[in-house]
Amino acid sequence: MSLKNKKILIVIGGGISAYKSLDLIRLLKKNSVEVKTILTKSGKEFVTPLSISTLTKNKTFEDIFDKDDEASIDHITLSRWADLIIVLPTTANFMTKLTLGKAEDLATTVLLASNKDILLVPAMNVRMWLHKATQRNLKILLDFGYNFIGPEKGEMACGEYGEGKMSSPRQIYSYLKNYFDQKNLVKNKNFKALVTTGPTREYLDPVRYISNESSGKQGYEVALALNKLGIKTKLIAGPSNFISSKDLKIKKIVSAKEMMDEVKKSLPVDIAVCAAAVSDFKPINKSKNKIKKNISNINNIPLKKNPDILDYLSKNNKSRPKIVVGFSAETENIIENSKIKIKEKYCDLIIANDVSKKDSGFNSEYNQVSIIDKKGKIKIIPKNKKSYIANTIARIILDKLLMNDKNIN
Ligand code: C5P
């Protein structure tokens, strides 16, 4: 029973669908889930604290400064108590507050202070949902890492038809069951991943090197996203200045050879994601001293090829990771070239991106990618923040890994 003894905090928002929170609470309680609730001021217009507390058998929290409770249950304790937080219904106005990071009442303060996964369950009129402002907010909230269920298509309380109807308590319940099932599974399997990222530097002399424009940001975000899914992840990063993370193991290296050595040391892993822009070549000789500008032969720097780390991993018979993912940065014929690469490099997925575009790809906060599998199936992720793209990639990788595992066992 994946839901048994789980702790769920439900924030009840101000919409007509708030009454459905009572059905969800009943369903959860029937399945031995511990439920606590925060009732927003506008939510109180639709349901009463008494009806909620009768079902949860717990106090319904309302105010940020509760003279009876702030000492024993403050907003931090409440958010740490939960395994998952649900906002139901999530109104258009509430979405705006979350994008702004407001902390104006107990509900918004708990959400801002939370270190848990948060599930938003939108419910609103179809025009409100489709409005550019709400759709922009949706993108921002997905980028912040909020999860969404719905809205569904159907007839709404206002009598109009379209997308905006809240998912039913049954649909939310199945979502929760899958969510905790998968969390348990990942935890029990103890999955491990390695991610390479950033450029490498190949020195000609003590101060000059061959390198490239890669910022390492996309690989960093993929590593964070895998980690967040419960997969123990090690990031092997070339010179880059992203912020470090206390949750993530990061090993900094400089050259392609050091990256390869670190990759070998990290095996075996279940997942390998090669997002690094490894220098293809390196100088055959590195001068001990700085090369003088008056050297006789300036037309010739002898180079040799660097080892291909992705190729090494995917063709490694002894300890091939179950899922090997490559990146393909191209400036033309992106899909065709990437399809060739997935075959040549023998990987399970390739993430293709167009690096010729301004404000996307190399050295940008944004990216736009196509995820291609071995059969040539393509999933396009339109331009979005690298963190959002990373969350989508991580989910696809985990689904593939779980599918693989299921087929093997
Ligand atoms: O062939 P190309 O360099 O375009 O392939 C890109 C993919 O191969 C990326 O996933 C990159 O991280 C990986 N690669 C590697 N080692 C190299 C060169 C590329 O792992 N020496």
Side-chain angles (χ1 to χ4, degrees):
M1 278 282 283
S2 56
L3 282 174
K4 195 170 172 199
N5 298 333
K6 293 287 179 230
K7 298 184 182 110
I8 295 184
L9 175 64
I10 304 181
V11 175
I12 302 173
I16 180 69
S17 325
Y19 77 91
K20 292 188 190 167
S21 63
L22 300 178
D23 276 346
L24 180 66
I25 295 169
R26 271 178 48 189
L27 207 50
L28 293 173
K29 291 298 289 180
K30 223 170 88 187
N31 286 279
S32 311
V33 178
E34 258 200 79
V35 181
K36 286 188 180 175
T37 49
I38 297 174
L39 184 59
T40 61
K41 204 166 158 223
S42 38
K44 209 174 167 179
E45 302 288 330
F46 298 92
V47 281
T48 67
L50 181 63
S51 51
I52 299 164
S53 289
T54 310
L55 293 173
T56 61
K57 311 259 185 300
N58 270 319
K59 178 186 158 76
T60 303
F61 296 94
E62 291 179 62
D63 297 323
I64 184 138
F65 300 113
D66 186 326
K67 58 182 180 337
D68 299 327
D69 264 303
E70 184 67 12
S72 55
I73 282 265
D74 61 277
H75 54 280
I76 302 290
T77 317
L78 206 47
S79 81
R80 298 296 176 271
W81 170 85
D83 292 313
L84 178 84
I85 304 178
I86 307 178
V87 182
L88 174 159
T90 309
T91 60
N93 189 38
F94 202 82
M95 283 174 71
T96 306
K97 288 184 191 179
L98 292 182
T99 62
L100 295 173
K102 287 232 173 193
E104 60 178 15
D105 55 12
L106 184 61
T108 47
T109 310
V110 163
L111 292 172
L112 198 63
S114 165
N115 60 348
K116 299 293 162 51
D117 280 350
I118 298 171
L119 175 63
L120 303 181
V121 195
M124 63 195 78
N125 168 274
V126 55
R127 292 280 145 223
M128 288 170 92
W129 175 251
L130 294 178
H131 196 285
K132 276 187 181 167
T134 310
Q135 289 303 306
R136 189 196 55 199
N137 286 343
L138 170 66
K139 266 190 164 184
I140 296 172
L141 294 175
L142 284 169
D143 176 49
F144 286 174
Y146 289 96
N147 300 304
F148 280 81
I149 172 165
E152 317 293 329
K153 253 194 183 156
E155 194 172 333
M156 278 161 282
C158 58
E160 286 188 25
Y161 182 89
E163 205 176 351
K165 195 178 159 70
M166 195 177 91
S167 300
S168 70
R170 273 265 152 226
Q171 282 169 315
I172 301 167
Y173 180 79
S174 324
Y175 176 99
L176 295 175
K177 206 171 160 319
N178 284 342
Y179 170 87
F180 284 112
D181 274 348
Q182 198 173 77
K183 270 228 139 136
N184 284 346
L185 197 63
V186 172
K187 200 169 153 204
N188 294 340
K189 293 266 177 188
N190 212 358
F191 288 134
K192 286 198 187 77
L194 76 80
V195 178
T196 70
T197 200
T200 63
R201 283 183 189 168
E202 313 300 333
Y203 278 86
L204 300 160
D205 67 17
V207 290
R208 301 187 183 96
Y209 53 80
I210 301 173
S211 193
N212 58 64
E213 285 280 306
S214 169
S215 64
K217 175 102 172 110
Q218 187 64 80
Y220 172 67
E221 293 291 350
V222 170
L224 281 180
L226 288 169
N227 222 29
K228 218 170 73 186
L229 290 176
I231 300 163
K232 216 165 152 205
T233 305
K234 178 175 179 182
L235 180 67
I236 303 169
S240 34
N241 32 17
F242 43 73
I243 24 161
S244 59
S245 158
K246 69 172 171 33
D247 303 323
L248 191 64
K249 200 168 167 197
I250 304 180
K251 177 73 194 173
K252 294 219 167 169
I253 52 81
V254 176
S255 66
K257 177 168 183 320
E258 286 171 16
M259 185 173 272
M260 177 66 110
D261 290 346
E262 199 54 42
V263 162
K264 286 181 179 167
K265 255 200 254 167
S266 313
L267 294 177
V269 291
D270 301 281
I271 300 164
V273 180
C274 292
V278 184
S279 298
D280 290 321
F281 304 102
K282 71 175 194 177
I284 290 183
N285 300 308
K286 178 181 164 191
S287 168
K288 200 163 147 249
N289 297 311
K290 188 177 167 200
I291 301 167
K292 296 286 177 206
K293 59 178 144 206
N294 58 358
I295 55 162
S296 52
N297 187 2
I298 53 162
N299 296 325
N300 193 0
I301 301 171
L303 299 173
K304 68 173 178 186
K305 260 193 155 176
N306 260 327
D308 193 307
I309 300 166
L310 174 61
D311 200 72
Y312 167 81
L313 282 165
S314 58
K315 294 179 184 161
N316 183 326
N317 286 333
K318 249 175 51 201
S319 49
R320 185 192 193 275
K322 290 174 199 145
I323 308 288
V324 178
V325 183
F327 271 69
S328 168
E330 297 284 342
T331 51
E332 55 181 352
N333 301 329
I334 302 146
I335 301 296
E336 297 82 75
N337 287 340
S338 304
K339 280 185 175 172
I340 295 170
K341 216 171 283 181
I342 197 171
K343 287 215 169 83
E344 280 177 359
K345 300 218 181 190
Y346 203 58
C347 26
D348 302 286
L349 291 172
I350 202 126
I351 319 289
N353 62 341
D354 182 349
V355 284
S356 68
K357 290 228 165 70
K358 263 197 171 168
D359 199 26
S360 169
F362 269 0
N363 253 330
S364 161
E365 280 291 308
Y366 294 88
N367 211 353
Q368 154 174 15
V369 304
S370 303
I371 304 178
I372 307 172
D373 73 8
K374 275 200 288 203
K375 290 184 189 143
K377 216 173 101 195
I378 302 172
K379 179 177 168 62
I380 296 170
I381 315 179
K383 186 173 166 187
N384 212 320
K385 283 277 195 74
K386 283 185 173 169
S387 46
Y388 173 78
I389 304 253
N391 284 328
T392 314
I393 293 172
R395 276 240 70 84
I396 291 175
I397 293 174
L398 177 60
D399 286 345
K400 210 169 172 55
L401 180 64
L402 290 174
M403 187 71 84
N404 259 17
D405 253 46
K406 213 160 123 191
N407 292 340
I408 291 167
N409 295 327

